[in-house]
Amino acid sequence: MENQEKQQKLNKVAIICAKGNLEDVYASLVLANGAVMDGMEAKLFFTFFGLDAVMKKRMNKLQTSTVGNPALRMPNGTRMGNLLGLIPGVQSMVSKMMKKQMDDLDVPPVDEFLDMITAGGGEVYACQLAVDMFKVKREQLSDHVLEILTVGEFYEKAAGEGSQIIFT
Amino acid sequence: MAQTTIAGKTVEVTEEGYLQDHTQWNEDIAKELAKEEGIELTDDHFKILNFLREKYEEGANLTIRKVGKSGITDIKGFYNLFPGGPLKKASKIAGIPKPTSCV
């Protein structure tokens, strides 16, 4: 076997975001934006708590959890304990700091990030089941959302050679 | 690193074809590099190329967002001018190193 087959080029990613924490949503957005920046197709599917990322009134108010997050550290590098994270105001303060640091690196707020992704041809979908479960109306969803899809319909959109599904 | 001749000028390029030294760049080289990417350069392209070169010389970390806020074009326009990987292609044609940013 001298000639190994050529590595299959990735040309499409379907990214599923099921959580509404700041960091989980940003992971999905960075992956999707990185794909369109490289000329790949990107489809984003927001489901369950991830739906917050495409709700007009919530998308720019996401927070990072200060409880049950053992990797969270104070600016001086020491661990931030759960009890400290419970103090009112701490979670929003930490989230604010995270957003500031990301903005310094040119990582925009969620609505602007979705503008960037859709400007590059990326597509944004919301999950039918989550929409029904949380009793969300279409007008509550951001205009970035192209369609509300069932999981089967999303899989159809994710199909193709050189396509991968990523769950963040 | 390799030497190659682009538009009659001998330049050093990386494995991926990015110029090693951005001062060796000129507009004819840009046109030649653009042709390889299937792009015919217009004034609008050159405005972006010059913006990127300027920012690079200032030591800025180049991102799509910065181009979108440059006032030259919006992000959609940037994608239209350099289809299929705007920041990488524009950087290559502008004679500056491959962008290292994730956004």
Side-chain angles (χ1 to χ4, degrees):
Chain A
M1 295 258 287
E2 267 182 40
N3 288 326
Q4 287 290 335
E5 51 195 284
K6 267 193 195 157
Q7 202 179 330
Q8 166 88 55
K9 199 173 175 292
L10 190 58
N11 51 34
K12 182 175 179 177
V13 285
I15 300 161
I16 300 166
C17 177
K19 298 183 203 101
N21 295 327
L22 186 67
E23 66 274 19
D24 290 306
V25 169
Y26 267 91
S28 300
L29 296 176
V30 170
L31 288 168
N33 184 62
V36 293
M37 270 175 77
D38 258 350
M40 288 186 246
E41 268 186 74
K43 322 256 181 210
L44 274 163
F45 189 60
F46 291 95
T47 183
F48 286 94
F49 297 103
L51 211 55
D52 272 15
V54 285
M55 287 184 69
K56 282 177 191 161
K57 289 198 171 147
R58 299 184 188 167
M59 59 201 304
N60 286 336
K61 292 180 183 152
L62 302 177
Q63 297 204 335
T64 198
S65 178
T66 51
V67 177
N69 186 353
L72 195 67
R73 289 177 186 269
M74 314 272 276
N76 67 7
T78 57
R79 275 187 206 281
M80 179 150 175
N82 273 336
L83 289 176
L84 192 57
L86 278 169
I87 298 169
V90 169
Q91 181 162 299
S92 67
M93 190 190 73
V94 168
S95 303
K96 218 172 157 179
M97 276 176 59
M98 294 259 291
K99 286 178 195 171
K100 166 82 178 63
Q101 286 183 359
M102 287 196 284
D103 194 67
D104 291 345
L105 293 170
D106 252 344
V107 179
V110 174
D111 61 345
E112 194 192 328
F113 217 159
L114 288 170
D115 286 345
M116 281 169 58
I117 292 164
T118 50
E123 294 170 5
V124 179
Y125 300 100
C127 166
Q128 181 74 60
L129 186 62
V131 165
D132 292 345
M133 201 177 102
F134 295 130
K135 299 185 173 53
V136 174
K137 295 196 180 67
R138 182 63 177 94
E139 57 267 28
Q140 290 176 284
L141 293 175
S142 135
D143 295 336
H144 300 100
V145 177
L146 210 56
E147 250 182 289
I148 300 169
L149 301 180
T150 64
V151 64
E153 288 168 331
F154 180 68
Y155 279 145
E156 270 175 38
K157 297 206 181 282
E161 210 179 325
S163 177
Q164 286 289 332
I165 295 179
I166 302 168
F167 190 92
T168 60
Chain B
M1 211 195 295
Q3 273 196 342
T4 183
T5 307
I6 307 172
K9 192 172 170 182
T10 305
V11 290
E12 304 269 344
V13 292
T14 66
E15 257 175 38
E16 290 172 294
Y18 288 80
L19 289 202
Q20 204 76 38
D21 175 1
H22 79 286
T23 60
Q24 291 186 320
W25 182 88
N26 63 39
E27 294 201 351
D28 289 331
I29 289 178
K31 282 178 191 158
E32 195 70 31
L33 288 170
K35 211 181 273 171
E36 281 170 27
E37 300 288 344
I39 298 166
E40 187 87 34
L41 293 184
T42 62
D43 286 350
D44 286 340
H45 289 99
F46 274 111
K47 276 182 203 155
I48 292 174
L49 299 181
N50 289 326
F51 171 79
L52 290 175
R53 289 178 59 81
E54 215 172 277
K55 288 285 155 196
Y56 170 70
E57 281 169 4
E58 285 170 16
N61 190 25
L62 296 172
T63 61
I64 290 219
R65 191 188 191 198
K66 277 207 181 71
V67 178
K69 287 187 185 299
S70 65
I72 300 167
T73 178
D74 58 10
I75 291 175
K76 202 165 190 167
F78 188 32
Y79 272 96
N80 287 335
L81 288 169
F82 298 92
L87 194 60
K88 280 187 186 163
K89 286 191 180 177
S91 297
K92 192 177 197 175
I93 297 167
I96 59 174
K98 187 178 174 181
T100 52
S101 162
C102 283
V103 282

